[in-house]
Amino acid sequence: MIGAYPTLRAGLLIAGGAPLAIGLAAFAPALWPLGPAWSGAVLLLALLDALIAGKARHVELITPASSELGSEVRILVEAELAAEVPIARAEASLAVTNRIMPGGRGFATLLRAGPEATLRGTVVLSPVRRGALEIERLWLRWQGPLGLGWRQDERESAESIAILPDIAAVRAPALQVFIKEAIYGILARQIRGEGSEFEALVEYQPGFDRRTIDWKSSARHSKLLAREYDTERNNQIVFALDSGSDMCEPVAGLPRIDRAVSAALLTSYVALKAGDQVRLFSFAARPERATPFVSGSRNFFRLQAEAAGIDYRFEESNYTLALSTLAAQLQRRSLIVVFTDFTDPTSAELMLESVGRLIDRHLLLFVAMEDEELLSIVDQPPANSEKVAQSVAAASLLAQRRLVITRLRHMGIEVIEGRHDEIGTRLMNAYLKIKRRGQL
C-alpha cells in the first residue's frame, strides 16, 4: 500500500498560515486570504515533493536464518526507487513477533548506497526469548528533495528467524581445552581404578583407590594388584526441563528456563563428546517436547534447534504426569537431570513422591537456580514494617525451598544449586564426576 503525506516541517509551515491570516486581518484586512493561500500552497508543494520522490520498485529484506538468544539480530533492508532524485531522508520500520521482541517494532534509517537509486539500512533487534521471530509487516517511507512530503510503502512479509538458545559457553576456547584434557587426557589417567567395565589387573600405585585392590590376586603374586576399569560409554542422559510458570520468571533479565536450556546444552555438548547419548524432555501441565536420543558431537546443533522449540507455559507444572511419562519412555538405566524450581510446597510434595518411584532404576540429578530476588529481600534493611513483613515472607519461602532440597538429598539425589551463571559449569563437573565413578 502506497501513500503520501506532509512531513513535520511541512506541517509547521502549513500551520503557520493561521497566524499569518490573523496578523494580516488585523493590519491589512484585504490581504487576510494570503494566510489560507500560504497553507494551501505548502500542502500542494508537499504532495508534489512526495510524488517526485518516486515509487519503490524493489524492496528486499536480507535476514539471517537463525540467531542466538542474547545476540543482536541484524536485518538488512534494501529498497530500489524508481526516481533518481535526491532523497532528504528515508526510514524503515518492521513489525515483529511481540512475545519475542518487546514492543514488536524495529526501526532503521536508510542511506543511499552509491550513485544508483538504492537505499540501504540495518534494523537491529534484541530478542528476549527463544522461538520463531516472525517479521509480519514492513513500512518504508522517504522524503522528496525538499523534505516536505513523505512517500510511504507498506508491505507484508513472511520472513522468520529462529532464535536459538545461547551456547556462547560451548564455543569458549577454555571449554574446548578442558574437554580435550578431561575426556581424552588428564581425566583418562585419573579414572584408573574407577569406571564400570573391568579392563585389566595392574600393579597398585600410590594414589589408586584402595577399594580397587584385588586381594586374592595380590596374595597369589606376592604384590599388590589393583583392578583397572574402563569408563563405560553410550550412557543415556536425559535433560528434563520444567517450562511451567515458576521457570518463566526472569532472573538477570532472562527467564529461568532460558538459563536452564543454556546449562543443559553446555553439558549436552560435553556428554556427546564423551560418547554418551543425550535427549531433551520439557514439561509443564503436561509433557511438551521429547526429542529422540542423539549421539555424536555433530548432532549438537540438532539439539540446539530442538531446544529453541521449548515453549514458555504460564501454568503449574505437573511433576507426576511428566516424570511417569518419562519413566515409561526409558528402556534402560539413565541419568535424568531435572531443571526446576521449588516454591510451592504442595507441588514439591507431589514431585518428591514421583521422584521416589524413579530412583530405584535411574540416577537423578536436580538443578535449581538461587532466587536472587528473595535473597535480596531477606537482606534488605528493615526500614519500615512493610519491609520487615517482606523479609519474613521471603525467609519463609527460602526455608521451604531448603527443606525440599534437604529431603531430596536424604533420598540420595544430588542437588546442584547456584547462581544462574554458575549452574552450567557445576552441572558439567557433576556429570564428569558421575562419569568418572561409573555410577551409570
Side-chain angles (χ1 to χ4, degrees):
M1 185 174 65
I2 301 176
Y5 56 92
T7 64
L8 177 61
R9 179 192 302 176
L12 294 175
L13 291 174
I14 292 171
L20 177 61
I22 294 173
L24 291 174
F27 298 101
L31 300 178
W32 74 267
L34 292 177
W38 166 268
S39 298
V42 174
L43 177 59
L44 180 60
L45 191 60
L47 294 177
L48 290 174
D49 190 39
L51 292 175
I52 292 173
K55 297 181 179 180
R57 286 190 302 196
H58 176 70
V59 179
E60 184 179 4
L61 289 178
I62 302 176
T63 62
S66 62
S67 181
E68 292 182 11
L69 186 64
S71 302
E72 292 182 341
V73 178
R74 308 181 76 85
I75 302 172
L76 179 63
V77 182
E78 288 190 355
E80 184 179 347
L81 304 182
E84 298 186 3
V85 296
I87 300 298
R89 182 178 177 85
E91 297 174 345
S93 176
L94 299 178
V96 299
T97 310
N98 189 65
R99 66 192 297 269
I100 304 295
M101 172 70 191
R105 283 296 184 93
F107 303 92
T109 298
L110 305 183
L111 302 175
R112 189 178 291 279
E116 69 277 8
T118 301
L119 301 174
R120 288 192 180 95
T122 303
V123 179
V124 181
L125 303 177
S126 299
V128 298
R129 290 188 174 185
R130 292 168 289 102
L133 179 63
E134 297 178 354
I135 303 174
E136 301 166 353
R137 195 170 294 272
L138 164 68
W139 289 272
L140 287 176
R141 66 174 187 173
W142 58 99
Q143 296 178 3
L146 300 178
L148 297 177
W150 285 109
R151 190 70 177 267
Q152 180 168 295
D153 192 345
E154 180 182 351
R155 304 191 179 197
E156 293 185 355
S157 174
E159 298 286 343
S160 180
I161 304 170
I163 305 301
L164 305 176
D166 179 18
I167 57 168
V170 173
R171 290 190 295 268
L175 177 68
Q176 303 300 325
V177 174
F178 174 78
I179 292 175
K180 184 177 180 180
E181 293 180 343
I183 297 177
Y184 304 111
I186 294 176
L187 195 65
R189 292 193 295 271
Q190 291 178 343
I191 64 175
R192 185 175 297 167
E194 301 181 4
S196 57
E197 294 184 356
F198 177 76
E199 180 69 17
L201 283 174
V202 296
E203 188 172 353
Y204 180 83
Q205 300 290 335
F208 282 16
D209 190 339
R210 293 181 181 179
R211 292 174 297 179
T212 63
I213 297 176
D214 190 322
W215 296 104
K216 290 184 178 179
S217 299
S218 299
R220 223 172 13 246
H221 294 84
S222 301
K223 62 180 178 179
L224 281 179
L225 297 176
R227 299 185 188 93
E228 188 178 64
Y229 293 87
D230 187 23
T231 300
E232 184 181 354
R233 291 178 174 241
N234 206 33
N235 295 311
Q236 290 186 345
I237 318 295
V238 181
F239 293 94
L241 298 122
D242 176 5
S243 59
S245 55
D246 290 338
M247 292 293 286
C248 291
E249 293 295 324
V251 54
L254 287 178
R256 293 175 182 272
I257 181 63
D258 288 326
R259 304 289 188 185
V261 167
S262 296
L265 288 177
L266 174 62
T267 307
S268 296
Y269 182 75
V270 177
L272 292 175
K273 282 284 189 180
D276 289 333
Q277 301 178 23
V278 176
R279 177 188 185 190
L280 298 180
F281 178 85
S282 68
F283 64 93
R286 62 191 61 81
E288 295 284 344
R289 179 174 290 265
T291 70
F293 280 104
V294 300
S295 58
S297 57
R298 64 185 180 278
N299 288 318
F300 172 74
F301 292 102
R302 178 183 172 187
L303 272 184
Q304 186 191 19
E306 291 282 358
I310 297 177
D311 208 348
Y312 307 83
R313 299 294 186 187
F314 294 92
E315 54 194 22
E316 187 176 353
S317 301
N318 189 333
Y319 296 101
T320 304
L321 177 60
L323 295 180
S324 60
T325 301
L326 178 59
Q329 296 173 353
L330 299 176
Q331 303 301 318
R332 50 180 276 207
R333 179 175 170 82
S334 305
L335 169 62
I336 303 176
V337 183
V338 182
F339 291 84
T340 188
D341 195 20
F342 316 111
T343 54
D344 182 11
T346 304
S347 298
E349 191 67 32
L350 294 173
M351 179 193 66
L352 290 170
E353 292 181 6
S354 303
V355 165
R357 294 189 286 268
L358 288 176
I359 55 178
D360 292 336
R361 184 179 180 189
H362 303 285
L363 182 63
L364 268 71
L365 182 63
F366 272 75
V367 182
M369 279 168 274
E370 289 182 353
D371 197 320
E372 299 176 11
E373 183 179 1
L374 286 180
L375 291 173
S376 64
I377 293 175
V378 171
D379 295 336
Q380 69 181 350
N384 50 52
S385 59
E386 182 180 357
K387 291 188 178 296
V388 171
Q390 291 176 354
S391 297
V392 171
S396 176
L397 290 174
L398 289 175
Q400 293 174 0
R401 178 190 179 94
R402 283 193 291 268
L403 178 61
V404 175
I405 292 176
T406 301
R407 291 184 62 183
L408 285 170
R409 286 172 174 160
H410 286 171
M411 296 170 68
I413 299 172
E414 185 175 354
V415 180
I416 298 175
E417 187 181 21
R419 288 170 47 87
H420 67 274
D421 53 352
E422 298 174 344
I423 59 169
T425 304
R426 291 189 179 186
L427 176 59
M428 180 180 64
N429 290 333
Y431 161 75
L432 291 174
K433 183 178 179 182
I434 292 171
K435 184 84 171 172
R436 184 171 63 247
R437 291 179 173 177
Q439 291 178 263
L440 283 174

